[in-house]
Amino acid sequence: MTTDSSSLPLDKSVAEPIAPKRASWLHNLRGLPVVPLTILLIVIGTGILAPIIQPHNPNEVDLLASLRPPVGFDGTWEHPLGTDELGRDVLSRLMDGAQISLLVGIAVVLGAGTLGATLALLAGYFRGWVDILISRATDTFLAVPFLLVAISVVGAVGASTRNLILVLIFMTWAGYARVLRSEVLRVREADFVRLAKVAGCSPARIIIRHILPNIVNPLIVLATLQLSAVIVIEASLSFLGLGVPAPQATWGGMLANGKAYLGVQNSLTIVPGIAIAATCLSINLMGDWLRVRLDPRFRQL
Amino acid sequence: MTTSPASTVTAPKAGDTPLIELLNVTKVYTVRAGGFRGQGRQLRAVDGVSLSVPAATTLGLVGESGCGKTTLSRLLLRQEPPTTGEVRYAGKNVWSMGRGGQKDFHRQVSAVFQDPYSSLNPRHRVREIVTEPLMVNSGMSRHDREEKLQSLLSDVGLPPAAAGLYPHEFSGGQRQRIAIARAIALNPGLVVLDEPVSALDVSIRAQILNLLKELQERHQIAYVFIAHDLAAVEHMSDQMAVMYLGALVEYAPVEGLYGNPLHPYTKALLLASQPPQPGKMSLEAPLSGEVPSPLNLPSGCRFRTRCPIAEARCAELSPQLREVRPGHYVSCHLVN
Amino acid sequence: MPPLLEVKNLQTHFITRSGVARAVDGVTFSLERGQTLGLVGESGSGKSVTCSSIVRLLPKGSGRIVGGEVLFEGRNLLDISENEMRRIRGSQISFVTQDPMTSLNPVYSIGNQMEEPLRYHQGMRNHGQLHAKVVEALTQVGIPSPERRVKDYPHQLSGGQRQRVVTAMAIECQPSLLIADEPTTALDVTVQIQILRLLKDVQKELNLGMILVTHDLSVIARTCDKVAVMYAGRIVEEGPIDEIFARPRHPYTRSLMRAIPQIGRKEDRLYSIPGQPPDVRRLPQGCPFAPRCPDVIDRCTHEAPTEQFFGSNHRARCLRAEEMGAS
């Protein structure tokens, strides 16, 4: 019945009215992870400003200058991160690719997350035939061999950035729906949901105001994990020629491309590899911070 | 309030016009045995219960696990329709009301549940928790809502600053005060109290019970007080109903029931809830065994498997609830 | 011969983000074989943490025993290695917890789970022997047709029967100390007494020392020889059960007894203790009960009360304990 220690009463805070909150909006940024944020800002900044600040045209071929090493590994400042097998400047391609990779990643996560969460909320709240329909669709999508469908769809409609995004949304929403549905089932059994019904709240209000805020935690965790996964999937699709069409640079494409020169010019895989890893890590750390900030139980600490 | 139309069922009545009534209500659930060859089995969670609660009075409801208390509270709150029988509020069947009637029902009936942790949305501030019923059911302006919020908080003994805080910043007893503030926000006629103090510390329970009584007197609220603590029920209630496996076994005014309990089950419950007195309390259990599964009701009287005075006829004939003294109903063959 | 269990000035702290919680702050008591000690208090009073500290089962990381001694048959349990401790837990000291549903593993049969401690602590391997021992233990706790029950899974049993199985598991290795943490709270009232009876019966049979943690004074009155009342991490009053019920010396004990509604005591308003249970991270100066105490005097708010003894075995931690007994 009564559990020790799980929740120590904080009656002090009530007995003595606490200092007014929201002293400034900066207050909300406490504990912000600075390094990951900086990395993300650099990636986004260079992505947006790429056409202005990149030292070379990312698609300019110069076969005489192919496979140059980066600065510090016998390279020159002419090409700070070296060149690829066609003599294209790696730094410029990296900046160019940031734009595409982030665009694809964020668009896919937003699209699939919204779709998956909406379906999970409907299935979990209404149960019955709505649930059966959505759950079976989810199962089907989780069972379909991903690459096969991607190849046939892109083969049919043609490779382009937009098609890549749509295919990826199409293929990843089911993961959100499956995980979030079980969360919804858990939250809808809470007494506050029953009390909301007693108070006469509409289903829409219950879903949006009561259930959704309580499944945000797993949603953010899933989304940040997915964002990293999407950037990598984009790489494998680009590798198969189904991603963003060449010669447009993408991080995944660069990684795939560099594979052929492992042992010859390792920087061709290492440089985009570091970019992908650093970005994914930063996104995960930012997600963690956001999750904690959005939870009132942690907010006042 | 309109008078309830004459009904064929003899619903026990006390006092004035009942605010809420159950007329011979039965709720049957079909339980799948599991697997695909699911011939469902019938679970009679509530079986032929008739009750009525006059305005501004308290009906206490006691019983052990599986007695149908939870189902009954769902029926009273119009969260589930009865399989047969009628639930009436102010004389009207709550399942044949129009949209307006439903809205009115939500304004008139609210609830407080056992678990003060699960009852409050952890993502909402107290302000939103308490005023949500106002927001959904009344056209009150933001300013009026804020004013009402402050008066509600002071009603339940919380400081004005509580409005801006989240539930996790309060102890169990204070959370239950928040839940109560929300429940009385729309000046309801009836509040269903489902074990409102059993999750709280012993030193806090009396505070909350006193608060509930005070609010009842001030706002003329009727309560259905569901609990397993017989002493608390005695303190709070005017009428009292004892349930066993989905059916009423005894139903009487509180003084009659505690002063002269008639059903052997009621007697056993009272024996089990003596006040603490070292040396004077026996460790002889007043009843042997446990409540049988509601999926497998005993034949005849459902209490006979544990009854200390059961006879042969108890296995054959199911006893009916009958009035043995004015207002005192009991369902047992052996009571005269 | 030393007592079965002697706890001396036990201190357990929890390190939280908002400060150090002195969950157990100088708890001292002793227990003989065959004796039952009731530990009462509200949530956060430290009664459960005291029990976890005795067997060193605190949540990893935040909880730490920072001082005191736990002498079990004369040996300090805080000094021995984790391996030795593991051999004592479940054999010489065993437990019955509140929720029989979570103390039994739903995926193993009753028989299977009950054989586990016998295998681990007694090195029993023979199948026939194990089976016989399990059936014997189940018979002892009054499970009907134990031969068939061993194949059942926890969900097939009723709440009371599950608690009987948990009790059987607790006693099959012949312990000398049994810690029961709210053993009846999750059960129906009529079943509660059955389980209390069972605990008393096995206690007598095995001559066990028993610590019974509860918030329910009627459980204490039914089963205990002596009682310790905890508040804010300390024992505020301890003594033989008749003494405590007849002449409570600490205002908290007195309030607690008055605040329970009792059948037949018609009163318009229940006596209630004001305020909320204290936050052990921010205890006030002086007596921690002072802010809620009906008998508070000026001294209480700045002077921490020490223990006062009344007779050989009744003690209370209150500045006014002397006068309290008189009234």
Side-chain angles (χ1 to χ4, degrees):
Chain A
M1 180 181 287
T2 48
T3 46
D4 273 25
S5 78
S6 63
S7 159
L8 298 159
L10 292 170
D11 44 301
K12 278 273 166 68
S13 55
V14 176
E16 316 149 1
I18 50 154
K21 264 188 286 180
R22 279 180 304 256
S24 79
W25 60 273
L26 272 174
H27 180 84
N28 286 328
L29 295 178
R30 276 172 314 157
L32 191 71
V34 178
V35 175
L37 184 70
T38 316
I39 293 175
L40 279 184
L41 286 179
I42 291 174
V43 171
I44 294 168
T46 50
I48 293 168
L49 299 176
I52 304 162
I53 60 170
Q54 60 200 7
H56 297 267
N57 178 339
N59 297 327
E60 184 187 274
V61 177
D62 179 2
L63 289 172
L64 290 176
S66 68
L67 297 176
R68 290 270 170 81
V71 169
F73 298 86
D74 303 330
T76 61
W77 283 104
E78 169 71 15
H79 298 289
L81 291 178
T83 57
D84 67 3
E85 79 282 5
L86 296 177
R88 294 177 293 195
D89 182 50
V90 170
L91 178 61
S92 307
R93 288 183 71 73
L94 201 63
M95 289 175 165
D96 212 34
Q99 211 176 344
I100 292 293
S101 291
L102 281 176
L103 174 72
V104 172
I106 289 169
V108 169
V109 163
L110 279 181
T114 311
L115 183 63
T118 308
L119 290 173
L121 285 165
L122 294 176
Y125 184 77
F126 289 107
R127 307 297 308 273
W129 62 268
V130 181
D131 188 19
I132 294 174
L133 215 66
I134 292 173
S135 293
R136 288 301 85 83
T138 311
D139 292 344
T140 312
F141 271 84
L142 286 172
V144 163
F146 173 75
L147 273 180
L148 206 70
V149 175
I151 290 170
S152 19
V153 173
V154 176
V157 298
S160 74
T161 308
R162 196 197 57 174
N163 289 347
L164 177 70
I165 291 172
L166 289 178
V167 166
L168 285 174
I169 290 177
F170 199 59
M171 300 314 301
T172 53
W173 67 267
Y176 294 89
R178 164 65 69 79
V179 174
L180 295 178
R181 176 181 165 272
S182 63
E183 281 298 307
V184 175
L185 288 180
R186 190 180 56 79
V187 175
R188 84 192 280 273
E189 291 308 317
D191 284 341
F192 64 80
V193 173
R194 250 185 93 193
L195 284 167
K197 286 183 201 164
V198 171
C201 297
S202 63
R205 184 178 173 88
I206 293 176
I207 290 175
I208 294 166
R209 297 287 311 158
H210 289 279
I211 299 181
L212 181 60
N214 283 290
I215 62 164
V216 161
N217 277 357
L219 178 58
I220 290 177
V221 172
L222 263 179
T224 47
L225 287 175
Q226 283 279 328
L227 189 53
S228 330
V230 163
I231 291 178
V232 176
I233 294 173
E234 177 260 321
S236 43
L237 286 180
S238 300
F239 181 69
L240 289 173
L242 298 169
V244 180
Q248 169 66 53
T250 68
W251 289 358
M254 290 169 71
L255 192 70
N257 199 33
K259 239 193 262 178
Y261 299 91
L262 273 174
V264 182
Q265 188 51 272
N266 290 330
S267 66
L268 286 185
T269 47
I270 293 173
V271 167
I274 290 176
I276 291 173
T279 308
C280 292
L281 191 64
S282 305
I283 287 167
N284 274 312
L285 290 171
M286 286 297 294
D288 251 12
W289 173 80
L290 196 64
R291 189 171 55 76
V292 171
R293 289 305 299 158
L294 286 177
D295 193 330
R297 271 160 294 191
F298 295 103
R299 208 179 287 168
Q300 269 94 14
L301 299 176
Chain B
M1 221 172 294
T2 55
T3 345
S4 71
S7 80
T8 50
V9 193
T10 49
K13 283 199 182 76
D16 320 311
T17 325
L19 188 64
I20 195 154
E21 280 179 290
L22 298 187
L23 296 177
N24 207 6
V25 165
T26 297
K27 179 72 192 178
V28 180
Y29 294 102
T30 307
V31 183
R32 287 276 155 113
F36 289 104
R37 56 195 166 80
Q39 248 305 324
R41 297 169 71 191
Q42 304 259 295
L43 191 154
R44 300 178 83 79
V46 167
D47 198 356
V49 167
S50 300
L51 290 172
S52 64
V53 186
T57 66
T58 303
L59 171 73
L61 196 65
V62 292
E64 295 177 286
S65 56
C67 75
K69 290 183 288 190
T70 314
T71 309
L72 206 68
S73 89
R74 300 184 75 91
L75 290 165
L76 286 168
L77 292 170
R78 199 186 174 276
Q79 295 197 307
E80 283 188 62
T83 312
T84 61
E86 260 182 45
V87 181
R88 288 192 189 155
Y89 189 83
K92 287 192 216 98
N93 184 342
V94 300
W95 288 97
S96 54
M97 306 187 290
R99 271 195 163 275
Q102 280 178 37
K103 235 185 141 63
D104 208 46
F105 183 83
H106 289 307
R107 249 180 247 143
Q108 284 294 312
V109 181
S110 67
V112 175
F113 293 150
Q114 171 172 4
D115 182 357
Y117 291 84
S118 158
S119 296
L120 310 179
N121 189 334
R123 302 265 172 174
H124 288 180
R125 289 175 200 274
V126 171
R127 171 173 289 109
E128 185 169 359
I129 291 170
V130 174
T131 57
E132 187 178 46
L134 302 171
M135 208 156 10
V136 175
N137 288 305
S138 72
M140 256 189 202
S141 72
R142 178 182 276 268
H143 176 80
D144 290 350
R145 283 204 306 261
E146 189 64 29
E147 231 162 56
K148 178 79 185 167
L149 168 70
Q150 290 306 334
S151 89
L152 285 167
L153 288 179
S154 92
D155 264 4
V156 298
L158 289 170
L165 302 178
Y166 287 95
H168 72 270
E169 292 167 87
F170 298 88
S171 64
Q174 290 172 320
R175 285 170 185 239
Q176 210 60 318
R177 287 174 191 268
I178 299 169
I180 292 168
R182 175 186 164 108
I184 60 166
L186 288 160
N187 304 319
L190 173 76
V191 180
V192 174
L193 305 167
D194 192 347
E195 303 264 11
V197 297
S198 34
L200 303 180
D201 276 315
V202 181
S203 75
I204 301 301
R205 289 183 190 174
Q207 286 180 12
I208 300 295
L209 292 177
N210 283 339
L211 171 67
L212 287 168
K213 249 198 146 160
E214 213 177 278
L215 292 171
Q216 174 168 50
E217 281 152 23
R218 195 172 334 147
H219 300 294
Q220 297 295 302
I221 309 170
Y223 288 144
V224 173
F225 182 76
I226 303 175
H228 61 263
D229 179 353
L230 270 81
V233 172
E234 187 201 21
H235 177 74
M236 295 292 292
S237 311
D238 302 295
Q239 294 272 308
M240 168 144 163
V242 182
M243 283 184 84
Y244 187 79
L245 275 178
L248 282 184
V249 297
E250 193 159 359
Y251 181 50
V254 159
E255 306 79 45
L257 198 131
Y258 283 83
N260 188 4
L262 295 176
H263 198 279
Y265 181 60
T266 315
K267 290 180 183 168
L269 285 180
L270 282 166
L271 261 180
S273 355
Q274 295 163 307
Q277 271 177 310
K280 291 183 190 142
M281 302 174 84
S282 115
L283 271 175
E284 289 310 319
L287 289 178
S288 61
E290 289 174 62
V291 183
S293 160
L295 278 170
N296 222 337
L297 289 179
S299 65
C301 172
R302 57 194 76 210
F303 182 58
R304 72 172 167 85
T305 52
R306 299 176 76 196
C307 183
I309 57 167
E311 291 178 356
R313 63 174 158 157
C314 299
E316 283 150 27
L317 213 65
S318 183
Q320 296 299 310
L321 199 66
R322 62 207 162 85
E323 192 168 10
V324 285
R325 269 184 272 138
H328 196 140
Y329 295 75
V330 67
S331 142
C332 177
H333 293 308
L334 299 161
V335 171
N336 297 311
Chain C
M1 205 175 126
L4 174 68
L5 178 74
E6 215 175 345
V7 175
K8 285 184 184 166
N9 199 22
L10 180 69
Q11 287 173 301
T12 303
H13 291 181
F14 283 83
I15 317 297
T16 68
R17 269 171 296 195
S18 44
V20 176
R22 296 158 178 264
V24 176
D25 194 11
V27 162
T28 300
F29 65 86
S30 72
L31 183 71
E32 302 286 348
R33 264 184 173 263
Q35 222 179 21
T36 307
L37 168 73
L39 216 50
V40 236
E42 45 202 345
S43 52
S45 65
K47 54 192 197 305
S48 291
V49 182
T50 302
C51 293
S52 318
S53 303
I54 291 172
V55 288
R56 291 173 32 191
L57 278 179
L58 292 166
K60 279 250 150 51
S62 61
R64 200 166 301 147
I65 299 171
V66 295
E69 283 175 83
V70 176
L71 301 171
F72 178 66
E73 291 171 340
R75 194 158 154 233
N76 190 351
L77 295 183
L78 303 183
D79 284 344
I80 63 176
S81 74
E82 181 54 36
N83 261 333
E84 282 174 281
M85 191 68 229
R86 213 174 294 140
R87 273 197 293 276
I88 290 178
R89 257 183 241 138
S91 64
Q92 282 152 281
I93 303 180
S94 59
F95 314 88
V96 174
T97 50
Q98 172 175 350
D99 186 355
M101 203 58 223
T102 54
S103 41
L104 293 173
N105 189 329
V107 302
Y108 293 111
S109 70
I110 300 298
N112 205 322
Q113 314 196 31
M114 289 190 58
E115 287 170 13
E116 193 57 30
L118 294 172
R119 285 209 189 93
Y120 179 75
H121 289 296
Q122 311 206 323
M124 226 183 254
R125 289 288 179 271
N126 181 314
H127 267 286
Q129 224 182 334
L130 279 168
H131 182 76
K133 190 87 180 166
V134 166
V135 170
E136 188 198 317
L138 286 176
T139 317
Q140 202 176 354
V141 297
I143 295 271
S145 51
E147 296 280 351
R148 268 186 288 143
R149 286 287 103 115
V150 289
K151 294 193 196 75
D152 281 355
Y153 287 84
H155 71 268
Q156 288 167 292
L157 304 178
S158 66
Q161 280 183 329
R162 281 198 288 261
Q163 203 59 306
R164 284 177 192 271
V165 169
V166 171
T167 310
M169 259 171 99
I171 59 168
E172 60 185 350
C173 291
Q174 312 285 327
S176 46
L177 174 63
L178 181 70
I179 299 177
D181 192 349
E182 304 268 8
T184 59
T185 306
L187 302 173
D188 281 330
V189 276
T190 56
V191 181
Q192 283 185 7
I193 304 181
Q194 296 172 12
I195 296 298
L196 292 178
R197 170 73 187 267
L198 171 70
L199 288 171
K200 286 306 275 184
D201 285 350
V202 300
Q203 174 183 36
K204 203 174 281 172
E205 213 163 311
L206 299 172
N207 194 24
L208 289 171
M210 183 152 88
I211 299 178
L212 202 125
V213 178
T214 182
H215 64 275
D216 186 343
L217 285 174
S218 64
V219 169
I220 299 274
R222 277 203 164 91
T223 52
C224 295
D225 305 306
K226 54 180 186 174
V227 52
V229 182
M230 288 194 72
Y231 191 81
R234 292 169 199 189
I235 293 181
V236 293
E237 182 160 15
E238 198 219 325
I241 180 157
D242 304 320
E243 272 279 309
I244 299 280
F245 275 86
R247 276 176 299 280
R249 296 270 180 177
H250 197 284
Y252 177 61
T253 318
R254 298 159 66 91
S255 305
L256 215 49
M257 289 178 183
R258 273 184 70 190
I260 309 172
Q262 286 185 9
I263 291 171
R265 193 170 69 185
K266 258 300 179 195
E267 49 202 339
D268 205 34
R269 286 176 61 83
L270 296 168
Y271 172 79
S272 79
I273 307 177
Q276 306 294 323
D279 178 354
V280 286
R281 284 168 300 190
R282 294 175 220 129
L283 287 179
Q285 247 201 330
C287 174
F289 187 59
R292 304 172 71 189
C293 183
D295 305 304
V296 67
I297 50 174
D298 274 353
R299 266 173 74 204
C300 301
T301 52
H302 48 84
E303 189 178 329
T306 51
E307 266 180 353
Q308 299 188 43
F309 288 82
F310 305 92
S312 59
N313 44 18
H314 187 172
R315 58 194 164 111
R317 209 183 265 271
C318 174
L319 292 171
R320 303 183 64 193
E322 190 73 49
E323 342 165 19
M324 288 293 144
S327 62

